[in-house]
Amino acid sequence: MSETINLLLVGTWQTIYMVVVSTLIATIFGVPLGVLLMVTDKEQILHNEPLNKILGTIVNIFRSVPFVILLIVLIPFTRLLVGKAIGTTAAIVPLSVAAIPFMGRLTETALREVDRGVIEAAQSMGASPFQIITKVLIPEALPSIAAGITITTINLVGYSAMAGVIGGGGLGDLAVRYGYQRFMLDIMLYTVAILVAMVQLIQFLGDILVKHLSRNR
Amino acid sequence: MIYIRNLTKVYHSASGNVRALEDVNLNIEKGDIFGIIGLSGAGKSTLLRCINMLEKPTSGSIEIDGVEMTRLSPSELKEMRKKIGMIFQHFNLLSSRTVRGNVAFPLEIAGLNKRAIDKKVENLLELVGLSDKADNYPSQLSGGQKQRVGIARALANDPKVLLCDEPTSALDPETTLSILNLLKDINRELGITIVLITHEMNVIKQICNKVAVIEKSRVVEQGPLIEVFKKPQTETARNFLKSVTLSEIPKELKDKIENLSHEHLEGKIIKIAFFGEITTEPVISSIIRKFDVDTNILYGNIDHIQGMPYGTLIVELRGKNGETDAALKYLKDLGLDVEVIENV
Ligand SMILES: Nc1ncnc2c1ncn2[C@@H]1O[C@H](COP(=O)(O)OP(=O)(O)O)[C@@H](O)[C@H]1O
Ligand SMILES: [Mg+2]
């Protein structure tokens, strides 16, 4: 029994570690990516057709490769970045690479919802594109961006279940190795229960954050 | 102040080219409240947005205070825009900022320090009468209050020009009046030149001293408001004027005229349109004194533009032996705009 608990604790910790760190990385890179995708598009403040096309294509490519394949394809890149290709820390690399374009698209969508008139008002006051991004676009879209981060985090919980492929561990890996391969049904059930609780909690916290950010609006 | 020459704007879109402005020429002088009126789709917003280069003209020139707008570099344009305020039909406030934050926005853009910003914001909020709402968010304000925030924000960098894109079209009549009065005060007290576009003659009538009529991408008529009111040159202008002057006799009145009893006297129903100094009251009384006619005022309205009275009077005249015609001639000789609308 205590061994089961130990396994679950380690698995839970590994999942949290992978999800939290890759969510952070996905936000740090994905939000600026989304900004770039939005502002370089047609009729936007920094319209740049070639850049927009290139970024859009890269994002689409990464989003269309199944995550399991991405895990393997990225092994050399992971080794280059963190010095090893297997383990929980190593799994953060493919998780982040998968989540950055996702977060980018969600951010782009959030920014598109900002009222065109508000952007124009800022332009009419002589705001620079950088000022429009930092003082108008991001603050105005913040609740939607926060909702996007919530979705990305939940997605990463799902993706992290496949981290076992490169020895990343985590709850999903636990369910597969013990629950499925060794027929330890109780472990299977516990891991699923913990994952469900985790997703519920993330959604709950995310909703609170979004609500807080959109108060008074 | 603002000189627009041969301005043309063509939009290129998937569904083809739209010629939104065609060879527009306008002179807007310092201190003017210049109204531009036109139906929806006429090109009003395009014209206004060309003035601060939110829309790049296809050809032509726009000179503001001696500066040719079409030739500015992006950084010069940014500087110039700080001196041109703009307000919008849908206010376009930042929902993420309070009233105070919205008014502070252009000052942050201009790079003022926090203390200077705070002080300026207080003054501006006082000017528009919103000091007590400083910490509210736009969603907590009425339309009129939102437009006041828009105005305070547009005035933050002490502009010389204020561009107004249908500033009252989303407001009820009473609020419209209060916003127009605020704009008038700003024009008078701060000496800011105002360019205002609208589809409502009533708005023009309230505050403008000059007006241009735009129809299908072209300016078809322009001049001092009073001139356009007195002698509209185009059908479009006349149609807009209909909404603020009596051009058709109310139906109830028509019915009444038709039912007037035919006595032995020859009668005429006449419409007197007057504009400016002539007051009709002494005119009517002098008809009664000078001619053997009965007069009966059936309908009248009077209004003011720029402090000048204008209006219409519908009068029934009845008299014997050509007295009615003589009275009519007398009115015409006085220079009044008289029209016989019915012989009864
Ligand atoms: N960005 C745009 N792209 C294409 N056509 C436009 C654009 N903006 C306005 N138009 C067209 O230009 C014409 C004038 O529009 P606008 O200046 O907005 O008129 P108004 O403000 O008088 O209603 C309309 O036919 C409109 O459809
Ligand atoms: Mg318009």
Side-chain angles (χ1 to χ4, degrees), chain B residues 229-232 245-248 270-280 283-284 299-303 309-315 328 331-332 334-341:
Chain B
F229 256 73
K230 273 187 189 164
K231 288 204 169 5
T245 53
L246 176 80
S247 53
E248 272 166 31
I270 60 170
K271 183 171 97 173
I272 308 170
F274 59 96
F275 203 105
E277 299 315 325
I278 304 164
T279 42
T280 39
V283 175
I284 299 292
Y299 184 90
N301 75 343
I302 183 162
D303 206 340
Y310 76 94
T312 319
L313 212 54
I314 294 180
V315 184
L328 201 60
L331 290 174
K332 282 183 177 159
L334 281 177
L336 287 170
D337 181 1
V338 188
E339 187 190 339
V340 177
I341 50 178

Side-chain angles (χ1 to χ4, degrees), chain A residues 117 120 123 135 140 216-217, chain B residues 49 92 95-96 108 137 139:
Chain A
E120 265 174 12
Q123 282 178 313
K135 287 177 181 288
E140 288 291 295
N216 304 324
R217 290 204 188 184
Chain B
R49 294 155 50 82
N92 297 350
S95 63
S96 53
E108 290 172 23
Y137 282 84
S139 64

Side-chain angles (χ1 to χ4, degrees), chain B residues 41-252:
Chain B
K44 304 182 294 294
S45 296
T46 305
L47 175 54
L48 197 72
R49 294 155 50 82
C50 278
I51 295 177
N52 63 359
M53 296 285 122
L54 277 180
E55 220 59 83
K56 279 260 175 296
T58 306
S59 66
S61 81
I62 294 162
E63 191 190 305
I64 302 180
D65 241 6
V67 178
E68 176 53 50
M69 296 296 287
T70 53
R71 282 196 221 110
L72 295 179
S73 70
S75 66
E76 287 171 328
L77 180 59
K78 266 184 277 167
E79 284 316 301
M80 193 67 193
R81 278 177 174 167
K82 288 171 189 165
K83 294 291 158 204
I84 308 171
M86 190 170 193
I87 61 172
F88 308 85
Q89 178 176 2
H90 299 295
F91 325 122
N92 297 350
L93 302 178
L94 289 155
S95 63
S96 53
R97 288 182 176 225
T98 60
V99 167
R100 194 193 300 281
N102 269 284
V103 180
F105 182 81
L107 298 165
E108 290 172 23
I109 297 292
L112 266 70
N113 67 42
K114 176 124 184 21
R115 273 190 46 172
I117 291 178
D118 287 347
K119 189 149 176 280
K120 198 101 204 242
V121 171
E122 289 313 317
N123 291 339
L124 287 161
L125 289 180
E126 196 163 318
L127 177 74
V128 300
L130 277 182
S131 300
D132 57 329
K133 299 279 179 200
D135 296 313
N136 286 59
Y137 282 84
S139 64
Q140 301 160 334
L141 302 180
S142 69
Q145 290 170 331
K146 284 182 197 166
Q147 195 58 289
R148 282 170 189 273
V149 179
I151 292 170
R153 180 176 72 171
L155 296 179
N157 283 319
D158 305 314
K160 297 175 188 153
V161 180
L162 182 61
L163 306 177
C164 313
D165 190 343
E166 309 242 6
T168 58
S169 298
L171 305 175
D172 61 63
E174 205 172 307
T175 315
T176 292
L177 209 57
S178 80
I179 293 295
L180 293 178
N181 283 332
L182 177 60
L183 290 175
K184 203 190 272 181
D185 290 347
I186 286 164
N187 167 261
R188 227 183 266 143
E189 281 157 34
L190 308 177
I192 295 174
T193 306
I194 294 180
V195 185
L196 179 148
I197 64 176
T198 179
H199 62 272
E200 291 172 299
M201 200 60 185
N202 194 39
V203 169
I204 302 268
K205 189 192 86 183
Q206 298 290 345
I207 61 167
C208 296
N209 66 327
K210 289 186 192 157
V211 61
V213 181
I214 183 166
E215 184 188 18
K216 296 198 184 103
S217 321
R218 289 177 184 275
V219 170
V220 293
E221 181 160 355
Q222 63 172 307
L225 181 66
I226 293 180
E227 295 305 315
V228 174
F229 256 73
K230 273 187 189 164
K231 288 204 169 5
Q233 304 294 317
T234 58
E235 195 53 38
T236 321
R238 275 188 285 274
N239 281 334
F240 278 120
L241 287 170
K242 272 185 192 163
S243 62
V244 288
T245 53
L246 176 80
S247 53
E248 272 166 31
I249 305 153
K251 182 162 183 315
E252 295 77 16

